[in-house]
Amino acid sequence: MPDVAKLKKRALEYEQKKQFDKALDTYTLVLAELDEHVDEADVALYNRVGDLLLRRGDVSEAVDHYEKAVDLYTDGGFFNNAIALCNKILRNAPGRNSVYYKLGKISARKGFINDAKQNFLEYANQMQKSKHLKKTFHTLKEFTNLYPNQTNIQLILTNQLIHKNRKSEAIEQLHTLYDK
């Protein structure tokens, strides 16, 4: 088992020498060694590997590493880091719709209602465009459960349900709105 600290040092030296492919290979070994035992400092390595992959032109693989870092930061309660990485992902891969959902959930956990609303709605809209109606409805329901006073979203959900001939669910939503 290689010494992770030595591998990190070697990767940094490769970076300083502008030997980015060697640095990338070495960081990848570090991440493989860490496996599931990643602490906050090591989460930044996913971001670093993503940056190196992006520099090489491997946007999809870079974004995969960024998303892994987002998940780890979120799990660790480092929401600002996770939000920053989500924004980085959206700058580099705007079609990565799942990031809007993650960003909505993170914003909700931080108490940023407007940001959560914007991102949940964007994700729901993208899911509707791609004909993933279950995900659309689930997302809107999740937001209304998180923020029951946001009746305008519940009305959007109700209209969507009516439009898709899911009348019993729409009536349920209308009853909930009426009770409020």
Side-chain angles (χ1 to χ4, degrees):
M1 174 186 278
D3 183 356
V4 171
K6 287 181 182 178
L7 285 174
K8 286 181 186 178
K9 184 178 177 188
R10 186 178 317 143
L12 185 60
E13 289 169 357
Y14 285 139
E15 272 193 88
Q16 290 169 343
K17 293 176 186 175
K18 301 208 183 299
Q19 296 175 334
F20 299 116
D21 286 337
K22 287 182 179 180
L24 181 60
D25 292 341
T26 307
Y27 280 131
T28 303
L29 281 174
V30 170
L31 292 176
E33 283 298 316
L34 293 173
D35 194 28
E36 296 298 316
H37 309 289
V38 179
D39 63 23
E40 182 196 352
D42 295 326
V43 174
L45 291 177
Y46 284 96
N47 184 25
R48 191 73 204 121
V49 169
D51 289 344
L52 290 170
L53 288 164
L54 196 61
R55 167 176 265 174
R56 195 167 75 183
D58 294 334
V59 175
S60 180
E61 196 174 340
V63 170
D64 289 343
H65 280 78
Y66 293 147
E67 279 199 74
K68 176 71 173 172
V70 166
D71 293 340
L72 291 169
Y73 277 135
T74 301
D75 292 345
F78 300 100
F79 302 124
N80 292 338
N81 298 33
I83 289 170
L85 272 176
C86 284
N87 289 325
K88 186 182 214 178
I89 292 168
L90 292 173
R91 277 193 308 277
N92 290 290
R96 198 70 162 238
N97 296 326
S98 62
V99 176
Y100 289 107
Y101 181 71
K102 286 181 184 190
L103 198 48
K105 290 184 73 145
I106 296 165
S107 297
R109 288 181 70 181
K110 288 270 303 177
F112 300 154
I113 297 171
N114 288 332
D115 290 344
K117 180 178 176 180
Q118 178 183 346
N119 287 296
F120 272 105
L121 286 174
E122 180 62 31
Y123 179 73
N125 184 44
Q126 294 301 323
M127 291 302 96
Q128 183 178 11
K129 284 181 183 176
S130 60
K131 308 285 190 237
H132 292 96
L133 297 180
K134 283 185 180 181
K135 287 182 181 179
T136 302
F137 296 139
H138 171 79
T139 303
L140 294 173
K141 284 179 185 177
E142 183 175 356
F143 183 80
T144 59
N145 289 337
L146 287 170
Y147 299 104
N149 292 334
Q150 294 282 321
T151 55
N152 59 336
I153 304 301
Q154 202 156 9
L155 283 171
I156 291 170
L157 172 59
T158 303
N159 286 330
Q160 292 288 327
L161 290 166
I162 291 169
H163 182 69
K164 295 302 178 188
N165 207 24
R166 295 172 73 164
K167 291 183 171 101
S168 63
E169 292 174 79
I171 290 170
E172 193 177 303
Q173 293 299 319
L174 287 171
H175 281 283
T176 305
L177 279 167
Y178 179 78
D179 290 342
K180 289 178 187 174

